[in-house]
Amino acid sequence: MHNMKIRGLILAILGPLLWGISGTVAQFLFDDVHVSSNWLVSVRMLISGILLVAFGMLENDKGSVAVWHDRRDSLELIFFSFVGMAASQYTYFMAIEAGNAATATILQFLSPAFIIIYLALRTQNFPRRIDVFSVLMALTGTILLVTHGRLTALSMPLGGFLWGLGAAVSATLYTLLPRKLLKKYGAIPIVGWSMLIGGFSFSLYYRIWDHMPTFSWLTYGSVAFVVIFGTMFAYLFYLQSLRFIQPTTASVLGSFEPLSATFLSIVFLGVSFGVPESLGAALILGTVAVQAWAAYASNPSTTKV
């Protein structure tokens, strides 16, 4: 049992770590190679979707297509593919292209605060004190991150900030929309099919064959890393970790994504983070730890690793 939990922890760290690295690689492709976010999002979702669906069929051929046998669930999957999966991928990469990988990934982590606000409005119940505290932490962190501590000016491009907020909203939808489908069919079929549907549609609309970047081993090696390691393996590692550890533990370890993206952006891409930005990032990421602690405190028997 102990070894299984260690395996789960390692997998839960590797997934977000690969996501964070792929965000930095994507920023390199945008800034130095001038690959467009439209092209990269299309290729990333299309190829990753094909690989994940194929993996699902090898693992359980009947289970991987079961969702298409129910008309209502099929429509929900198609809706999620565009509003959840494609939207979250597109806004995230646009945030990187308009700003940088570090701030885009950190702003995306505002989604827990948005989920708290949404659920409070939907249930018409005032949120718990710990939830109010989390929202205030996220709001304060965002202000520090985007203003450099000077409230009269933005320290980052407005486009990067707005796309980052869009990434947080779409990440919220990505989390809330497929809960019933995930419970009924499992993560790999739903993630794989939604990526395939979103990627295929984006590819046809954007006509990716008309926008192929000039070939070089570095360019296409970077694209391959984003697609294979930063998407397929990252999702597989993270989803497999949930077999061995609790979701609350995995959510805290998800902080390795913005941490790795920030570190690599500073070291390799020259992105500067001062004290106010660092404090803001810590406050935003801290909301995940606060929510995980609250879940543990309310039911320690189900959240302990």
Side-chain angles (χ1 to χ4, degrees), residues 160-223:
F161 172 60
L162 293 177
W163 280 114
L165 287 182
V169 172
S170 59
T172 302
L173 294 173
Y174 176 88
T175 301
L176 294 174
L177 287 176
R179 287 183 296 176
K180 189 188 80 172
L181 294 176
L182 291 172
K183 185 176 181 180
K184 186 173 181 180
Y185 299 104
I188 291 177
I190 300 306
V191 172
W193 282 115
S194 60
M195 276 194 171
L196 182 57
I197 293 168
F200 182 73
S201 302
F202 260 67
S203 300
L204 289 180
Y205 176 78
Y206 184 65
R207 299 172 64 88
I208 57 173
W209 51 89
D210 291 336
H211 301 84
M212 300 292 289
T214 303
F215 178 82
S216 76
W217 288 110
L218 180 59
T219 297
Y220 279 82
S222 299
V223 172

Side-chain angles (χ1 to χ4, degrees), residues 2-3 14 20 23 29 54 100-101 120 122 124 128 190 231 255 266:
H2 180 68
N3 290 336
L14 282 176
L29 289 169
N100 59 68
R122 181 181 178 183
Q124 296 184 340
R128 301 171 302 170
I190 300 306
T231 306
S255 300
I266 292 172

Side-chain angles (χ1 to χ4, degrees), residues 3-294:
N3 290 336
M4 292 175 65
K5 290 179 179 178
I6 292 176
R7 183 187 304 176
L9 291 172
I10 293 173
L11 290 171
I13 291 172
L14 282 176
L17 194 65
L18 288 173
W19 278 325
I21 296 172
S22 72
T24 308
V25 174
Q27 185 181 339
F28 159 75
L29 289 169
F30 297 149
D31 294 347
D32 292 27
V33 186
H34 305 296
V35 170
S36 75
S37 57
N38 290 311
W39 186 86
L40 187 59
V41 168
S42 301
V43 170
R44 182 193 198 216
M45 284 198 297
L46 179 63
I47 298 178
S48 298
I50 292 172
L51 293 174
L52 282 171
V53 168
F55 178 85
M57 288 185 172
L58 289 174
E59 191 177 56
N60 183 0
D61 56 342
K62 292 183 179 179
S64 64
V65 297
V67 66
W68 299 112
H69 297 158
D70 187 300
R71 183 174 180 273
R72 183 182 178 87
D73 290 345
S74 300
L75 293 175
E76 284 190 24
L77 175 59
I78 293 171
F79 181 74
F80 167 68
S81 299
F82 291 105
V83 179
M85 176 61 75
S88 65
Q89 300 282 327
Y90 184 71
T91 52
Y92 174 61
F93 278 105
M94 284 298 296
I96 294 176
E97 188 173 24
N100 59 68
T103 54
T105 312
I106 292 167
L107 286 172
Q108 190 181 43
F109 264 66
L110 287 170
S111 60
F114 289 164
I115 291 173
I116 291 169
I117 295 171
Y118 165 78
L119 292 177
L121 293 173
R122 181 181 178 183
T123 60
Q124 296 184 340
N125 291 324
F126 193 78
R128 301 171 302 170
R129 282 179 293 180
I130 194 73
D131 293 335
V132 173
F133 181 65
S134 295
V135 172
L136 291 176
M137 280 179 61
L139 179 61
T140 304
T142 303
I143 293 172
L144 288 172
L145 183 67
V146 303
T147 65
H148 194 63
R150 296 189 295 270
L151 301 183
T152 57
L154 286 175
S155 66
M156 62 183 297
L158 179 61
F161 172 60
L162 293 177
W163 280 114
L165 287 182
V169 172
S170 59
T172 302
L173 294 173
Y174 176 88
T175 301
L176 294 174
L177 287 176
R179 287 183 296 176
K180 189 188 80 172
L181 294 176
L182 291 172
K183 185 176 181 180
K184 186 173 181 180
Y185 299 104
I188 291 177
I190 300 306
V191 172
W193 282 115
S194 60
M195 276 194 171
L196 182 57
I197 293 168
F200 182 73
S201 302
F202 260 67
S203 300
L204 289 180
Y205 176 78
Y206 184 65
R207 299 172 64 88
I208 57 173
W209 51 89
D210 291 336
H211 301 84
M212 300 292 289
T214 303
F215 178 82
S216 76
W217 288 110
L218 180 59
T219 297
Y220 279 82
S222 299
V223 172
F225 180 88
V226 170
V227 170
I228 296 173
F229 292 97
T231 306
M232 188 189 78
F233 279 122
Y235 274 101
L236 287 176
F237 287 158
Y238 188 76
L239 295 173
Q240 291 298 315
S241 74
L242 298 177
R243 295 172 55 190
F244 308 109
I245 61 175
Q246 295 297 324
T248 47
T249 304
S251 68
V252 174
L253 295 176
S255 300
F256 272 87
E257 178 184 358
L259 292 176
S260 61
T262 301
F263 176 77
L264 293 174
S265 295
I266 292 172
V267 173
F268 294 106
L269 300 178
V271 174
S272 61
F273 257 56
V275 174
E277 296 98 322
S278 300
L279 179 58
L283 285 171
I284 293 173
L285 300 180
T287 60
V288 180
V290 167
Q291 287 297 305
W293 177 83

